[in-house]
Amino acid sequence: METNRNDLFVQRDMGIYIHIPFCKQKCIYCDFPAYQNLEEYYDTYLYALVQEMTMFGDAYPKSRTKLVDTVYFGGGTPTELSLLQLEQILNTIKTNYNVSPDCQFTIESNPGEVDQAYLKGLHKLGFSRISFGVQTFNDKSLVRLHRSHNREDAINAVQWAFKEGFQDINIDLIYGLPNQTIDEINKNLDIVSYENSLRIHDLLDEIRNELIPNKSIGIESMLSDNILIRYEVIIKEINNERGKKNG
């Protein structure tokens, strides 16, 4: 039996996810739909996105009345767009949907690709939460991962975001990197403030299909399952301690 999609809006608040599939530099391990060097298509994509948001509301009228309590911009790298382009998307959401006064607006970003003025503009637009794809604070590992930032960029971005009013700053880290040591993981975690939320991913889970054939990253030096399990235990203990201090 075919489900009536209007029924999905009956008993729950609604969240909106906006996908921006553009990146300055595609990460070697990324399997999300994201593409670099497509700046000429930004406006075209934005036009189609705005049209789709409006058409969805027309097709499913109940979506317009449900309270929207979260809006999440992911990618790709949403901060590849200008502040004006982001504002156009936000205005379309607010015009077509019932956005809660205390709705949480989150945006993903890469350190090194935003400056303090841009972060100030994001906060002014209404974004209250930002998630930085730091992955590691080790410069050598960042080069191996084909990241566009360095350690200093990452630290600056987090500090700038805090100064510009972001109270909820998430930092993404990856463990299981080639040649990574427990000391590097500990140093990564030491840098992250207890005020920051934290997501930690196992690199092997993210790159299993794409990275293994690629010898340029040093796959022969990937960590064994036993060492990864040790990392998981250490990270769990540290996160539990973070929770106690934040609680």
Side-chain angles (χ1 to χ4, degrees):
M1 187 173 98
E2 185 176 347
T3 302
N4 185 341
R5 293 183 71 174
N6 271 312
D7 293 341
L8 299 176
F9 305 104
V10 174
Q11 295 180 336
R12 65 185 73 176
D13 290 342
M14 189 170 76
I16 295 177
Y17 173 76
I18 303 295
H19 188 75
I20 306 299
F22 305 119
C23 289
K24 178 180 180 181
Q25 182 170 296
K26 177 82 170 181
C27 301
I28 197 168
Y29 57 84
C30 179
D31 61 356
F32 292 106
Y35 312 94
Q36 65 183 43
N37 301 323
L38 292 180
E39 290 83 359
E40 62 187 287
Y41 293 102
Y42 286 10
D43 286 334
T44 302
Y45 182 83
L46 180 62
Y47 174 81
L49 177 63
V50 167
Q51 295 302 309
E52 182 179 0
M53 285 191 287
T54 304
M55 291 168 61
F56 186 90
D58 292 339
Y60 304 101
K62 288 185 179 179
S63 70
R64 293 187 183 275
T65 59
K66 292 305 298 181
L67 194 65
V68 175
D69 58 3
T70 57
V71 176
Y72 192 101
F73 284 63
T77 310
T79 51
E80 270 291 283
L81 298 184
S82 69
L83 293 173
L84 188 61
Q85 289 170 323
L86 291 173
E87 184 177 23
Q88 185 178 350
I89 298 172
L90 290 170
N91 288 342
T92 302
I93 293 172
K94 293 173 183 177
T95 299
N96 288 277
Y97 299 98
N98 182 23
V99 178
S100 167
D102 58 354
C103 177
Q104 182 185 69
F105 289 86
T106 301
I107 190 165
E108 294 179 351
S109 183
N110 282 332
E113 297 178 14
V114 290
D115 58 19
Q116 188 169 352
Y118 186 91
L119 292 169
K120 181 177 183 178
L122 288 179
H123 192 260
K124 187 175 180 181
L125 286 177
F127 288 100
S128 55
R129 182 174 183 268
I130 190 165
S131 181
F132 287 113
V134 173
Q135 315 312 351
T136 178
F137 291 94
N138 183 283
D139 283 336
K140 290 183 179 179
S141 292
L142 288 168
V143 171
R144 293 191 190 103
L145 289 173
H146 204 231
R147 298 293 290 169
S148 62
H149 69 276
N150 58 32
R151 179 182 185 276
E152 184 179 2
D153 292 333
I155 292 173
N156 285 339
V158 173
Q159 291 177 342
W160 290 337
F162 183 77
K163 288 179 181 177
E164 295 305 331
F166 285 92
Q167 298 299 315
D168 192 343
I169 303 171
N170 179 76
I171 294 174
D172 279 0
L173 295 178
I174 290 179
Y175 71 97
L177 305 177
N179 301 311
Q180 190 175 44
T181 63
I182 290 179
D183 182 60
E184 179 182 333
I185 289 178
N186 286 333
K187 286 180 179 178
N188 282 336
L189 295 170
D190 286 343
I191 291 173
V192 179
S193 166
Y194 279 96
E195 283 72 37
N196 301 131
S197 57
L198 186 64
R199 285 187 305 193
I200 305 177
H201 308 277
D202 176 352
L203 179 65
L204 288 180
D205 285 340
E206 299 195 17
I207 63 167
R208 195 173 305 280
N209 295 326
E210 295 296 328
L211 186 56
I212 289 177
N214 191 333
K215 301 300 182 183
S216 67
I217 199 172
I219 194 66
E220 65 278 359
S221 61
M222 292 298 287
L223 303 170
S224 70
D225 289 342
N226 288 336
I227 294 178
L228 287 173
I229 291 172
R230 286 177 59 199
Y231 284 9
E232 290 174 5
V233 171
I234 291 171
I235 289 167
K236 184 176 181 180
E237 290 175 350
I238 292 173
N239 272 336
N240 285 340
E241 187 63 26
R242 290 168 63 89
K244 290 177 184 177
K245 292 190 178 183
N246 283 332

